[in-house]
Amino acid sequence: QVQLVESGGGLVQPGGSLRLSCAASGFTFSRYSMRWYRQAPGKERELVARISSTSISTNYADSVKGRVTISRDNAKKTVYLQMNSLKPEDTAVYYCNAAASWGAREPAFGSWGQGTQVTVSS
């Protein structure tokens, strides 16, 4: 059974930092690209960052480029999202999911974790 458990969110002031974690189980983590998504109230879920199975390739949405770093630890089956210089518009619930290939259009798994809430406010 696939499980994705996100953590690390919270309330932070503009300009602050957070490190999100996603612990995965139930699939061969090291074989999948991993992605972070976010969903703000009233908006569709959007792709924020992705990382290849071996960490060789990363890619970021324009809205977070230069402020966010995705990384992974295959031994721990965990993917991370380091977020710096946070802005109010980064406020959203953040989710992770896998992708069967780098260019896959859809997540590998239909089930999502509970997400972790990030709120950026003064």
Side-chain angles (χ1 to χ4, degrees), residues 81-122:
L81 191 69
Q82 177 66 45
M83 306 178 67
N84 301 322
S85 302
L86 282 161
K87 304 176 180 180
E89 50 264 43
D90 294 318
T91 296
V93 179
Y94 285 71
Y95 303 88
C96 68
N97 210 318
S101 65
W102 179 250
R105 297 186 65 180
E106 299 296 329
F109 306 115
S111 60
W112 295 80
Q114 82 289 349
T116 186
Q117 175 71 49
V118 171
T119 302
V120 185
S121 175
S122 55

mmCIF file of all heavy atoms in Angstrom, residues 81-122:
data_model
loop_
_atom_site.group_PDB
_atom_site.id
_atom_site.type_symbol
_atom_site.label_atom_id
_atom_site.label_comp_id
_atom_site.label_asym_id
_atom_site.label_seq_id
_atom_site.Cartn_x
_atom_site.Cartn_y
_atom_site.Cartn_z
ATOM 1 N N LEU A 81 11.776 19.443 0.612
ATOM 2 C CA LEU A 81 11.614 20.708 -0.093
ATOM 3 C C LEU A 81 12.057 21.822 0.848
ATOM 4 O O LEU A 81 11.373 22.118 1.829
ATOM 5 C CB LEU A 81 10.164 20.931 -0.528
ATOM 6 C CG LEU A 81 9.952 22.089 -1.492
ATOM 7 C CD1 LEU A 81 10.564 21.754 -2.862
ATOM 8 C CD2 LEU A 81 8.460 22.396 -1.651
ATOM 9 N N GLN A 82 13.226 22.385 0.560
ATOM 10 C CA GLN A 82 13.723 23.514 1.338
ATOM 11 C C GLN A 82 13.176 24.786 0.716
ATOM 12 O O GLN A 82 13.407 25.056 -0.461
ATOM 13 C CB GLN A 82 15.254 23.539 1.323
ATOM 14 C CG GLN A 82 15.869 24.721 2.047
ATOM 15 C CD GLN A 82 15.624 24.700 3.541
ATOM 16 O OE1 GLN A 82 15.773 23.666 4.180
ATOM 17 N NE2 GLN A 82 15.236 25.849 4.099
ATOM 18 N N MET A 83 12.466 25.545 1.503
ATOM 19 C CA MET A 83 11.814 26.751 1.006
ATOM 20 C C MET A 83 12.377 27.960 1.747
ATOM 21 O O MET A 83 12.303 28.039 2.977
ATOM 22 C CB MET A 83 10.302 26.656 1.216
ATOM 23 C CG MET A 83 9.691 25.396 0.625
ATOM 24 S SD MET A 83 7.926 25.281 0.938
ATOM 25 C CE MET A 83 7.333 26.642 -0.060
ATOM 26 N N ASN A 84 12.924 28.882 0.996
ATOM 27 C CA ASN A 84 13.505 30.112 1.563
ATOM 28 C C ASN A 84 12.796 31.331 0.987
ATOM 29 O O ASN A 84 12.075 31.232 -0.007
ATOM 30 C CB ASN A 84 14.997 30.185 1.242
ATOM 31 C CG ASN A 84 15.771 29.001 1.786
ATOM 32 O OD1 ASN A 84 15.506 28.512 2.886
ATOM 33 N ND2 ASN A 84 16.723 28.520 1.004
ATOM 34 N N SER A 85 13.017 32.468 1.636
ATOM 35 C CA SER A 85 12.426 33.730 1.169
ATOM 36 C C SER A 85 10.945 33.571 0.880
ATOM 37 O O SER A 85 10.445 33.987 -0.175
ATOM 38 C CB SER A 85 13.162 34.216 -0.095
ATOM 39 O OG SER A 85 14.537 34.379 0.170
ATOM 40 N N LEU A 86 10.248 32.964 1.813
ATOM 41 C CA LEU A 86 8.838 32.660 1.603
ATOM 42 C C LEU A 86 8.002 33.922 1.457
ATOM 43 O O LEU A 86 8.265 34.952 2.097
ATOM 44 C CB LEU A 86 8.317 31.794 2.742
ATOM 45 C CG LEU A 86 8.723 30.325 2.635
ATOM 46 C CD1 LEU A 86 8.598 29.610 3.973
ATOM 47 C CD2 LEU A 86 7.901 29.620 1.574
ATOM 48 N N LYS A 87 6.979 33.815 0.613
ATOM 49 C CA LYS A 87 6.075 34.919 0.318
ATOM 50 C C LYS A 87 4.648 34.518 0.698
ATOM 51 O O LYS A 87 4.328 33.320 0.718
ATOM 52 C CB LYS A 87 6.124 35.249 -1.175
ATOM 53 C CG LYS A 87 7.502 35.567 -1.708
ATOM 54 C CD LYS A 87 7.437 35.782 -3.214
ATOM 55 C CE LYS A 87 8.802 36.093 -3.793
ATOM 56 N NZ LYS A 87 8.741 36.307 -5.257
ATOM 57 N N PRO A 88 3.792 35.465 0.940
ATOM 58 C CA PRO A 88 2.393 35.119 1.249
ATOM 59 C C PRO A 88 1.745 34.247 0.178
ATOM 60 O O PRO A 88 0.914 33.384 0.490
ATOM 61 C CB PRO A 88 1.723 36.487 1.348
ATOM 62 C CG PRO A 88 2.807 37.402 1.806
ATOM 63 C CD PRO A 88 4.052 36.899 1.111
ATOM 64 N N GLU A 89 2.135 34.446 -1.062
ATOM 65 C CA GLU A 89 1.556 33.645 -2.138
ATOM 66 C C GLU A 89 2.035 32.196 -2.145
ATOM 67 O O GLU A 89 1.548 31.389 -2.939
ATOM 68 C CB GLU A 89 1.817 34.293 -3.506
ATOM 69 C CG GLU A 89 3.257 34.681 -3.755
ATOM 70 C CD GLU A 89 3.532 36.134 -3.438
ATOM 71 O OE1 GLU A 89 3.048 36.632 -2.393
ATOM 72 O OE2 GLU A 89 4.253 36.785 -4.231
ATOM 73 N N ASP A 90 2.971 31.867 -1.290
ATOM 74 C CA ASP A 90 3.381 30.470 -1.128
ATOM 75 C C ASP A 90 2.439 29.710 -0.193
ATOM 76 O O ASP A 90 2.564 28.495 -0.039
ATOM 77 C CB ASP A 90 4.803 30.383 -0.570
ATOM 78 C CG ASP A 90 5.846 30.917 -1.532
ATOM 79 O OD1 ASP A 90 5.735 30.629 -2.736
ATOM 80 O OD2 ASP A 90 6.760 31.627 -1.074
ATOM 81 N N THR A 91 1.521 30.408 0.420
ATOM 82 C CA THR A 91 0.567 29.776 1.326
ATOM 83 C C THR A 91 -0.273 28.745 0.582
ATOM 84 O O THR A 91 -0.911 29.050 -0.424
ATOM 85 C CB THR A 91 -0.352 30.829 1.965
ATOM 86 O OG1 THR A 91 0.438 31.703 2.786
ATOM 87 C CG2 THR A 91 -1.434 30.182 2.813
ATOM 88 N N ALA A 92 -0.228 27.519 1.061
ATOM 89 C CA ALA A 92 -0.926 26.409 0.399
ATOM 90 C C ALA A 92 -0.722 25.149 1.223
ATOM 91 O O ALA A 92 0.087 25.124 2.155
ATOM 92 C CB ALA A 92 -0.379 26.183 -1.008
ATOM 93 N N VAL A 93 -1.449 24.110 0.850
ATOM 94 C CA VAL A 93 -1.149 22.774 1.360
ATOM 95 C C VAL A 93 -0.192 22.123 0.366
ATOM 96 O O VAL A 93 -0.443 22.134 -0.845
ATOM 97 C CB VAL A 93 -2.419 21.930 1.518
ATOM 98 C CG1 VAL A 93 -2.062 20.539 2.034
ATOM 99 C CG2 VAL A 93 -3.401 22.611 2.460
ATOM 100 N N TYR A 94 0.885 21.583 0.891
ATOM 101 C CA TYR A 94 1.924 20.993 0.051
ATOM 102 C C TYR A 94 1.845 19.462 0.120
ATOM 103 O O TYR A 94 1.733 18.882 1.200
ATOM 104 C CB TYR A 94 3.291 21.475 0.494
ATOM 105 C CG TYR A 94 3.575 22.905 0.071
ATOM 106 C CD1 TYR A 94 2.907 23.969 0.669
ATOM 107 C CD2 TYR A 94 4.481 23.188 -0.949
ATOM 108 C CE1 TYR A 94 3.134 25.283 0.262
ATOM 109 C CE2 TYR A 94 4.725 24.496 -1.351
ATOM 110 C CZ TYR A 94 4.040 25.530 -0.746
ATOM 111 O OH TYR A 94 4.273 26.831 -1.161
ATOM 112 N N TYR A 95 1.911 18.852 -1.056
ATOM 113 C CA TYR A 95 1.818 17.404 -1.197
ATOM 114 C C TYR A 95 3.006 16.886 -1.998
ATOM 115 O O TYR A 95 3.552 17.585 -2.840
ATOM 116 C CB TYR A 95 0.563 17.011 -1.959
ATOM 117 C CG TYR A 95 -0.738 17.499 -1.381
ATOM 118 C CD1 TYR A 95 -1.257 18.736 -1.728
ATOM 119 C CD2 TYR A 95 -1.488 16.686 -0.518
ATOM 120 C CE1 TYR A 95 -2.463 19.184 -1.218
ATOM 121 C CE2 TYR A 95 -2.705 17.119 -0.014
ATOM 122 C CZ TYR A 95 -3.175 18.363 -0.365
ATOM 123 O OH TYR A 95 -4.381 18.797 0.137
ATOM 124 N N CYS A 96 3.340 15.633 -1.773
ATOM 125 C CA CYS A 96 4.314 14.985 -2.643
ATOM 126 C C CYS A 96 3.642 13.809 -3.354
ATOM 127 O O CYS A 96 2.593 13.306 -2.923
ATOM 128 C CB CYS A 96 5.521 14.498 -1.849
ATOM 129 S SG CYS A 96 5.171 13.140 -0.729
ATOM 130 N N ASN A 97 4.249 13.417 -4.447
ATOM 131 C CA ASN A 97 3.812 12.218 -5.150
ATOM 132 C C ASN A 97 4.948 11.756 -6.038
ATOM 133 O O ASN A 97 5.929 12.475 -6.248
ATOM 134 C CB ASN A 97 2.552 12.476 -5.968
ATOM 135 C CG ASN A 97 1.689 11.240 -6.109
ATOM 136 O OD1 ASN A 97 2.205 10.141 -6.336
ATOM 137 N ND2 ASN A 97 0.380 11.394 -5.967
ATOM 138 N N ALA A 98 4.833 10.571 -6.539
ATOM 139 C CA ALA A 98 5.852 9.994 -7.405
ATOM 140 C C ALA A 98 5.431 10.140 -8.853
ATOM 141 O O ALA A 98 4.269 10.426 -9.167
ATOM 142 C CB ALA A 98 6.045 8.523 -7.054
ATOM 143 N N ALA A 99 6.380 9.932 -9.739
ATOM 144 C CA ALA A 99 6.103 9.902 -11.170
ATOM 145 C C ALA A 99 6.880 8.749 -11.767
ATOM 146 O O ALA A 99 8.039 8.524 -11.415
ATOM 147 C CB ALA A 99 6.498 11.214 -11.826
ATOM 148 N N ALA A 100 6.222 8.007 -12.663
ATOM 149 C CA ALA A 100 6.855 6.825 -13.245
ATOM 150 C C ALA A 100 8.026 7.192 -14.141
ATOM 151 O O ALA A 100 8.938 6.389 -14.334
ATOM 152 C CB ALA A 100 5.822 6.016 -14.010
ATOM 153 N N SER A 101 8.009 8.390 -14.683
ATOM 154 C CA SER A 101 9.118 8.859 -15.499
ATOM 155 C C SER A 101 9.249 10.363 -15.346
ATOM 156 O O SER A 101 8.328 11.019 -14.853
ATOM 157 C CB SER A 101 8.902 8.499 -16.976
ATOM 158 O OG SER A 101 7.782 9.191 -17.483
ATOM 159 N N TRP A 102 10.349 10.905 -15.755
ATOM 160 C CA TRP A 102 10.623 12.332 -15.616
ATOM 161 C C TRP A 102 9.543 13.167 -16.291
ATOM 162 O O TRP A 102 9.106 14.177 -15.767
ATOM 163 C CB TRP A 102 11.992 12.634 -16.212
ATOM 164 C CG TRP A 102 12.372 14.074 -16.144
ATOM 165 C CD1 TRP A 102 12.471 14.948 -17.184
ATOM 166 C CD2 TRP A 102 12.698 14.826 -14.969
ATOM 167 N NE1 TRP A 102 12.835 16.198 -16.727
ATOM 168 C CE2 TRP A 102 12.986 16.144 -15.382
ATOM 169 C CE3 TRP A 102 12.775 14.507 -13.608
ATOM 170 C CZ2 TRP A 102 13.348 17.146 -14.477
ATOM 171 C CZ3 TRP A 102 13.130 15.500 -12.713
ATOM 172 C CH2 TRP A 102 13.417 16.802 -13.145
ATOM 173 N N GLY A 103 9.136 12.746 -17.454
ATOM 174 C CA GLY A 103 8.187 13.537 -18.207
ATOM 175 C C GLY A 103 6.738 13.126 -18.056
ATOM 176 O O GLY A 103 5.867 13.641 -18.758
ATOM 177 N N ALA A 104 6.458 12.225 -17.135
ATOM 178 C CA ALA A 104 5.088 11.757 -16.969
ATOM 179 C C ALA A 104 4.156 12.927 -16.662
ATOM 180 O O ALA A 104 4.467 13.781 -15.844
ATOM 181 C CB ALA A 104 5.034 10.721 -15.855
ATOM 182 N N ARG A 105 3.022 12.916 -17.289
ATOM 183 C CA ARG A 105 2.094 14.031 -17.104
ATOM 184 C C ARG A 105 1.313 13.911 -15.805
ATOM 185 O O ARG A 105 0.934 14.911 -15.202
ATOM 186 C CB ARG A 105 1.122 14.104 -18.277
ATOM 187 C CG ARG A 105 1.801 14.393 -19.602
ATOM 188 C CD ARG A 105 0.778 14.596 -20.708
ATOM 189 N NE ARG A 105 -0.040 15.786 -20.468
ATOM 190 C CZ ARG A 105 -1.003 16.192 -21.285
ATOM 191 N NH1 ARG A 105 -1.275 15.495 -22.359
ATOM 192 N NH2 ARG A 105 -1.694 17.277 -21.013
ATOM 193 N N GLU A 106 1.081 12.683 -15.404
ATOM 194 C CA GLU A 106 0.268 12.452 -14.215
ATOM 195 C C GLU A 106 1.105 11.822 -13.112
ATOM 196 O O GLU A 106 2.091 11.138 -13.386
ATOM 197 C CB GLU A 106 -0.908 11.539 -14.562
ATOM 198 C CG GLU A 106 -1.850 12.100 -15.615
ATOM 199 C CD GLU A 106 -2.553 13.359 -15.142
ATOM 200 O OE1 GLU A 106 -2.784 13.473 -13.920
ATOM 201 O OE2 GLU A 106 -2.867 14.228 -15.987
ATOM 202 N N PRO A 107 0.722 12.027 -11.859
ATOM 203 C CA PRO A 107 1.408 11.327 -10.770
ATOM 204 C C PRO A 107 1.275 9.817 -10.922
ATOM 205 O O PRO A 107 0.337 9.328 -11.552
ATOM 206 C CB PRO A 107 0.661 11.815 -9.523
ATOM 207 C CG PRO A 107 -0.023 13.063 -9.928
ATOM 208 C CD PRO A 107 -0.346 12.909 -11.389
ATOM 209 N N ALA A 108 2.203 9.117 -10.327
ATOM 210 C CA ALA A 108 2.186 7.657 -10.434
ATOM 211 C C ALA A 108 1.050 7.043 -9.632
ATOM 212 O O ALA A 108 0.539 5.985 -9.981
ATOM 213 C CB ALA A 108 3.515 7.091 -9.970
ATOM 214 N N PHE A 109 0.683 7.726 -8.547
ATOM 215 C CA PHE A 109 -0.288 7.133 -7.642
ATOM 216 C C PHE A 109 -1.494 8.047 -7.476
ATOM 217 O O PHE A 109 -1.354 9.255 -7.332
ATOM 218 C CB PHE A 109 0.362 6.858 -6.280
ATOM 219 C CG PHE A 109 1.607 6.033 -6.386
ATOM 220 C CD1 PHE A 109 2.843 6.563 -6.043
ATOM 221 C CD2 PHE A 109 1.550 4.731 -6.865
ATOM 222 C CE1 PHE A 109 3.992 5.810 -6.163
ATOM 223 C CE2 PHE A 109 2.693 3.966 -6.996
ATOM 224 C CZ PHE A 109 3.920 4.501 -6.649
ATOM 225 N N GLY A 110 -2.652 7.422 -7.496
ATOM 226 C CA GLY A 110 -3.871 8.204 -7.370
ATOM 227 C C GLY A 110 -4.159 8.646 -5.951
ATOM 228 O O GLY A 110 -4.930 9.582 -5.743
ATOM 229 N N SER A 111 -3.545 7.975 -4.996
ATOM 230 C CA SER A 111 -3.786 8.358 -3.609
ATOM 231 C C SER A 111 -2.764 9.392 -3.171
ATOM 232 O O SER A 111 -1.590 9.305 -3.530
ATOM 233 C CB SER A 111 -3.714 7.127 -2.701
ATOM 234 O OG SER A 111 -2.434 6.531 -2.789
ATOM 235 N N TRP A 112 -3.225 10.355 -2.413
ATOM 236 C CA TRP A 112 -2.388 11.430 -1.921
ATOM 237 C C TRP A 112 -2.328 11.380 -0.399
ATOM 238 O O TRP A 112 -3.225 10.875 0.250
ATOM 239 C CB TRP A 112 -2.948 12.776 -2.352
ATOM 240 C CG TRP A 112 -2.937 13.000 -3.828
ATOM 241 C CD1 TRP A 112 -3.843 12.514 -4.729
ATOM 242 C CD2 TRP A 112 -1.993 13.749 -4.588
ATOM 243 N NE1 TRP A 112 -3.518 12.917 -5.998
ATOM 244 C CE2 TRP A 112 -2.384 13.681 -5.944
ATOM 245 C CE3 TRP A 112 -0.852 14.479 -4.262
ATOM 246 C CZ2 TRP A 112 -1.672 14.316 -6.977
ATOM 247 C CZ3 TRP A 112 -0.141 15.113 -5.287
ATOM 248 C CH2 TRP A 112 -0.552 15.026 -6.615
ATOM 249 N N GLY A 113 -1.248 11.921 0.135
ATOM 250 C CA GLY A 113 -1.157 12.044 1.582
ATOM 251 C C GLY A 113 -2.045 13.166 2.080
ATOM 252 O O GLY A 113 -2.808 13.767 1.317
ATOM 253 N N GLN A 114 -1.924 13.458 3.351
ATOM 254 C CA GLN A 114 -2.763 14.503 3.944
ATOM 255 C C GLN A 114 -2.227 15.898 3.647
ATOM 256 O O GLN A 114 -2.918 16.894 3.840
ATOM 257 C CB GLN A 114 -2.869 14.306 5.463
ATOM 258 C CG GLN A 114 -1.704 14.848 6.281
ATOM 259 C CD GLN A 114 -0.433 14.051 6.131
ATOM 260 O OE1 GLN A 114 -0.418 12.944 5.573
ATOM 261 N NE2 GLN A 114 0.667 14.588 6.653
ATOM 262 N N GLY A 115 -1.013 15.959 3.169
ATOM 263 C CA GLY A 115 -0.396 17.248 2.894
ATOM 264 C C GLY A 115 0.098 17.918 4.165
ATOM 265 O O GLY A 115 -0.182 17.478 5.292
ATOM 266 N N THR A 116 0.834 18.996 3.982
ATOM 267 C CA THR A 116 1.291 19.789 5.116
ATOM 268 C C THR A 116 1.025 21.258 4.803
ATOM 269 O O THR A 116 1.357 21.746 3.718
ATOM 270 C CB THR A 116 2.777 19.527 5.437
ATOM 271 O OG1 THR A 116 3.144 20.209 6.639
ATOM 272 C CG2 THR A 116 3.717 19.932 4.305
ATOM 273 N N GLN A 117 0.398 21.938 5.738
ATOM 274 C CA GLN A 117 -0.029 23.323 5.520
ATOM 275 C C GLN A 117 1.140 24.276 5.714
ATOM 276 O O GLN A 117 1.811 24.248 6.757
ATOM 277 C CB GLN A 117 -1.153 23.688 6.494
ATOM 278 C CG GLN A 117 -1.593 25.147 6.431
ATOM 279 C CD GLN A 117 -2.357 25.479 5.172
ATOM 280 O OE1 GLN A 117 -3.287 24.775 4.790
ATOM 281 N NE2 GLN A 117 -1.969 26.578 4.514
ATOM 282 N N VAL A 118 1.346 25.127 4.736
ATOM 283 C CA VAL A 118 2.319 26.215 4.838
ATOM 284 C C VAL A 118 1.549 27.529 4.788
ATOM 285 O O VAL A 118 0.805 27.772 3.838
ATOM 286 C CB VAL A 118 3.351 26.155 3.700
ATOM 287 C CG1 VAL A 118 4.218 27.410 3.696
ATOM 288 C CG2 VAL A 118 4.209 24.906 3.831
ATOM 289 N N THR A 119 1.726 28.330 5.810
ATOM 290 C CA THR A 119 1.070 29.625 5.870
ATOM 291 C C THR A 119 2.135 30.695 6.051
ATOM 292 O O THR A 119 2.914 30.636 7.015
ATOM 293 C CB THR A 119 0.060 29.694 7.021
ATOM 294 O OG1 THR A 119 -0.920 28.652 6.861
ATOM 295 C CG2 THR A 119 -0.655 31.045 7.040
ATOM 296 N N VAL A 120 2.175 31.633 5.127
ATOM 297 C CA VAL A 120 3.151 32.718 5.180
ATOM 298 C C VAL A 120 2.400 34.004 5.455
ATOM 299 O O VAL A 120 1.637 34.489 4.613
ATOM 300 C CB VAL A 120 3.949 32.823 3.870
ATOM 301 C CG1 VAL A 120 5.030 33.890 4.010
ATOM 302 C CG2 VAL A 120 4.555 31.469 3.509
ATOM 303 N N SER A 121 2.595 34.532 6.638
ATOM 304 C CA SER A 121 1.838 35.713 7.049
ATOM 305 C C SER A 121 2.572 36.437 8.158
ATOM 306 O O SER A 121 3.240 35.814 8.992
ATOM 307 C CB SER A 121 0.445 35.288 7.530
ATOM 308 O OG SER A 121 -0.266 36.398 8.039
ATOM 309 N N SER A 122 2.424 37.737 8.174
ATOM 310 C CA SER A 122 3.008 38.535 9.259
ATOM 311 C C SER A 122 1.982 38.741 10.374
ATOM 312 O O SER A 122 2.285 39.371 11.378
ATOM 313 C CB SER A 122 3.489 39.877 8.719
ATOM 314 O OG SER A 122 2.452 40.550 8.054
#
